[in-house]
Amino acid sequence: RHVARLLDAVTVFGGELDSLGDLVNFGVAPALVMFAWADQSGGVDSTWDVALWASCVIFCQACALRLARFNCSPGGPAYHPPPGEALAAASSDGSTDSASLTETSSRGAFIARSKFFTGVPAPMGAMLALLPLFWQLDSNEIPFGWKAHQVAVAVLLISAVLMVSHLKTLSSKMFMRDPKKASHLRIRSPWEGMLKLAGVLGAVAAAFLCSPWRMVLVMECTYVVSLFVGPIVYHL
């Protein structure tokens, strides 16, 4: 999607195809990885096997609902305004759409409310679901001293609930003037390019100096903390 924005080639068909790919990448793949990770440890009865499989299915369904809600929300590729809203926009000067109306209504807020995500986005939901795997890769231990099946079931269900929730979360759109057209791949000034390059090189250097998995864990823990900050900033 960011490449399409960079090339000014955004289409409704491309948006739907992108969401289908996101469902596989951030829904199906993490669920299968967590199922394989927990299943290889063994040591539990068949009840936990059923619970693990059910939690994987629920996680995939939650990811699909999260992506569908994003596509149907104002500014999404499949958004169609209600008849009353469409008539109100048509009766104006013709240059005001639903997104701009939302932006105007939240102009007094500390940050425009249209730039917040509703629920955890699918990529971060996948990262949260894989948190126990990253934890074991870094420390060679399963979190909390639980069985792998128990940890996987709990994390998958919590991630699924966070994705379909109405929790207001921070997003990278807050760094963009026009989130519908802007792309993180587009560099508007040399300073912006240098800043992005320094960020990437800094992350790579930190991963080599300590541990790649520990770097991922730090990033995930930082995001978990931001889940408590988002609703506070939203109501400022």
Side-chain angles (χ1 to χ4, degrees):
R1 184 170 295 173
H2 285 285
V3 175
R5 291 174 181 171
L6 179 64
L7 301 176
D8 292 326
V10 178
T11 62
V12 176
F13 176 79
E16 298 297 334
L17 189 61
D18 178 78
S19 294
L20 180 60
D22 287 345
L23 176 59
V24 176
N25 294 330
F26 306 129
V28 178
L32 292 178
V33 169
M34 289 304 296
F35 183 87
W37 172 76
D39 190 60
Q40 70 178 358
S41 63
V44 295
D45 54 30
S46 58
T47 304
W48 279 107
D49 285 329
V50 175
L52 177 61
W53 181 250
S55 62
C56 290
V57 173
I58 292 173
F59 178 82
C60 293
Q61 292 176 336
C63 185
L65 290 173
R66 177 64 180 84
L67 293 169
R69 184 174 65 185
F70 173 79
N71 287 350
C72 296
S73 62
Y79 176 70
H80 295 285
E85 186 177 319
L87 290 174
S91 62
S92 64
D93 58 0
S95 61
T96 304
D97 57 8
S98 60
S100 61
L101 289 173
T102 305
E103 186 79 19
T104 302
S105 63
S106 62
R107 187 167 294 174
F110 180 69
I111 296 177
R113 293 182 176 179
S114 60
K115 293 187 177 182
F116 284 82
F117 280 137
T118 300
V120 171
M124 290 310 304
M127 293 294 291
L128 293 177
L130 295 172
L131 181 60
L133 173 61
F134 298 139
W135 184 288
Q136 188 185 41
L137 289 172
D138 180 63
S139 63
N140 293 323
E141 296 179 357
I142 298 177
F144 311 118
W146 295 0
K147 298 291 186 181
H149 281 66
Q150 298 170 337
V151 175
V153 169
V155 172
L156 285 170
L157 292 179
I158 292 174
S159 300
V161 171
L162 289 175
M163 282 194 291
V164 299
S165 69
H166 291 276
L167 181 70
K168 299 301 180 181
T169 60
L170 305 178
S171 73
S172 59
K173 295 188 295 182
M174 296 175 179
F175 301 100
M176 300 179 181
R177 293 183 178 179
D178 188 359
K180 293 190 296 182
K181 297 181 180 179
S183 171
H184 293 297
L185 300 179
R186 182 175 294 162
I187 299 176
R188 300 184 180 276
S189 67
W191 289 107
E192 182 181 356
M194 292 176 61
L195 184 62
K196 290 182 178 180
L197 180 61
V200 172
L201 293 179
V204 173
F208 275 106
L209 289 175
C210 54
S211 166
W213 307 121
R214 189 164 301 173
M215 184 70 182
V216 173
L217 288 174
V218 169
M219 294 172 61
E220 291 203 42
C221 292
T222 303
Y223 182 77
V224 170
V225 173
S226 75
L227 296 180
F228 299 93
V229 178
I232 298 175
V233 177
Y234 180 81
H235 289 97
L236 287 180

